Amino acid sequence: MSGAINPGGHSLSPAEVQARRARLPAAFGPSGAVRVWRVLGLAGFVAWLLATLWWFDVTPWRLWNGLQGLGVIIRLMIPPSPGELWLDILKGLAESLAMAFLGTFIAAVVAVPLGFLGARNVASSVLFRFSLRRVLDGMRGVDQLIWALAYVRAVGLGPLAGVLAIATADIAVLAKLYAEAIENAEKKQAEGIAAAGGSPTLVMRFGILPQVAPIMLGHALYFFESNTRSASILGVVGAGGIGLQIAERIRVRHWDEVAFIIIMMVMMVMAIDWLSRRLRQRLIGG
């Protein structure tokens, strides 16, 4: 075995190379066992990928036929047309926007106290914090459409079911994000208020909340943008919004009107994105 060259330019003997390899094995590349596990992991991933493709019958012929069908639909969408019931389309868009705003607002307000209760530096009880977070995990595991189906059965058809579905699905996610922001807040401000004799409520109000309020606002505005798109789908299950208009026109194959609704939805989302960005710059700065 030839000797290696150290950074100083001196040759290392084989014994010195072996000693350094034993002391710092990671510097000489992965070991044989690590390479074997990597190969096995890659083989397992490829096997799982091929198994899922076979399970779902994903074949080039099905994909080609699907693309051909999609091309026919796109040709039928041109030119887009509002149809005769364009007032219903505008009403559905306004309803989706109102659902997204109200659902996000309720979720953002309710998530603030839940975020404080789930933060490690606020809630001292490990059992309570663990239980609360597991409940929030369970709520996050249910999609908005599932909540919408449940609320449609509970309160009936209409936008109220959509608002409740959006709020319920977002409360858990926003509470988790708020709790993480509260845990990362600077401790000196809170400690100073506590040292001056402030109550725990004052510590949270003046020591923590001013630090995390911009982050909370940013998350709430982002969820409002996202919920504007989600509210457009909830109508398919009867929870109000423009989704019902889309489903009805797809059912009767009025693809030109579907294209018009999609364009209007894209324009609405772009306008909300621009307005929310300006609002963040105005309230948060930057």
Side-chain angles (χ1 to χ4, degrees):
M1 180 185 296
S2 59
I5 304 298
N6 65 7
H10 304 291
S11 177
L12 298 176
S13 65
E16 291 175 326
V17 172
Q18 292 297 331
R20 296 194 178 190
R21 185 188 295 274
R23 188 170 67 253
L24 299 171
F28 293 84
S31 63
V34 172
R35 287 195 292 267
V36 170
W37 279 110
R38 288 179 179 177
V39 172
L40 291 177
L42 179 60
F45 171 76
V46 173
W48 173 248
L49 177 63
L50 295 177
T52 52
L53 292 175
W54 172 80
W55 185 14
F56 299 138
D57 193 22
V58 180
T59 61
W61 299 277
R62 289 193 66 187
L63 293 175
W64 176 251
N65 292 332
L67 290 176
Q68 286 183 327
L70 181 61
V72 173
I73 292 175
I74 292 176
R75 287 196 298 270
L76 293 175
M77 286 183 171
I78 300 173
S81 172
E84 298 179 357
L85 303 177
W86 58 274
L87 286 177
D88 291 341
I89 295 177
L90 295 180
K91 179 183 177 182
L93 288 171
E95 195 171 82
S96 295
L97 181 62
M99 287 166 51
F101 171 76
L102 189 56
T104 306
F105 179 79
I106 294 173
V109 172
V110 176
V112 172
L114 293 178
F116 277 99
L117 293 175
R120 188 178 298 106
N121 55 341
V122 174
S124 58
S125 175
V126 178
L127 178 61
F128 174 80
R129 190 173 64 250
F130 176 83
S131 302
L132 177 62
R133 291 209 169 192
R134 297 296 75 78
V135 171
L136 296 178
D137 290 341
M139 294 175 63
R140 284 199 303 273
V142 182
D143 189 73
Q144 281 185 355
L145 281 175
I146 307 300
W147 287 116
L149 287 170
Y151 282 121
V152 165
R153 298 286 295 179
V155 302
L157 299 173
L160 176 59
V163 171
L164 294 176
I166 292 173
T168 306
D170 286 356
I171 284 173
V173 183
L174 286 174
K176 181 179 183 296
L177 295 174
Y178 290 176
E180 292 177 352
I182 292 168
E183 290 176 349
N184 294 323
E186 178 63 39
K187 298 180 180 179
K188 293 182 178 179
Q189 297 184 23
E191 292 174 350
I193 295 176
S199 64
T201 304
L202 293 177
V203 170
M204 289 186 289
R205 169 61 182 87
F206 296 102
I208 299 178
L209 187 59
Q211 299 184 59
V212 300
I215 301 175
M216 291 180 173
L217 178 60
H219 286 317
L221 289 174
Y222 172 76
F223 271 72
F224 174 51
E225 300 170 17
S226 177
N227 287 331
T228 304
R229 297 185 293 270
S230 301
S232 303
I233 305 300
L234 296 180
V236 175
V237 296
I242 193 63
L244 180 61
Q245 305 288 338
I246 297 176
E248 289 179 349
R249 282 156 178 81
I250 291 177
R251 190 178 302 112
V252 296
R253 302 181 184 274
H254 289 176
W255 295 110
D256 53 344
E257 297 182 20
V258 173
F260 178 81
I261 295 175
I262 292 174
I263 292 173
M264 295 296 293
M265 288 169 53
V266 171
M267 294 177 60
M268 182 176 67
V269 171
M270 291 175 60
I272 292 173
D273 177 69
W274 180 80
L275 289 173
S276 63
R277 184 171 63 250
R278 293 293 301 270
L279 183 60
R280 282 195 297 267
Q281 292 174 352
R282 186 72 177 270
L283 298 179
I284 302 174

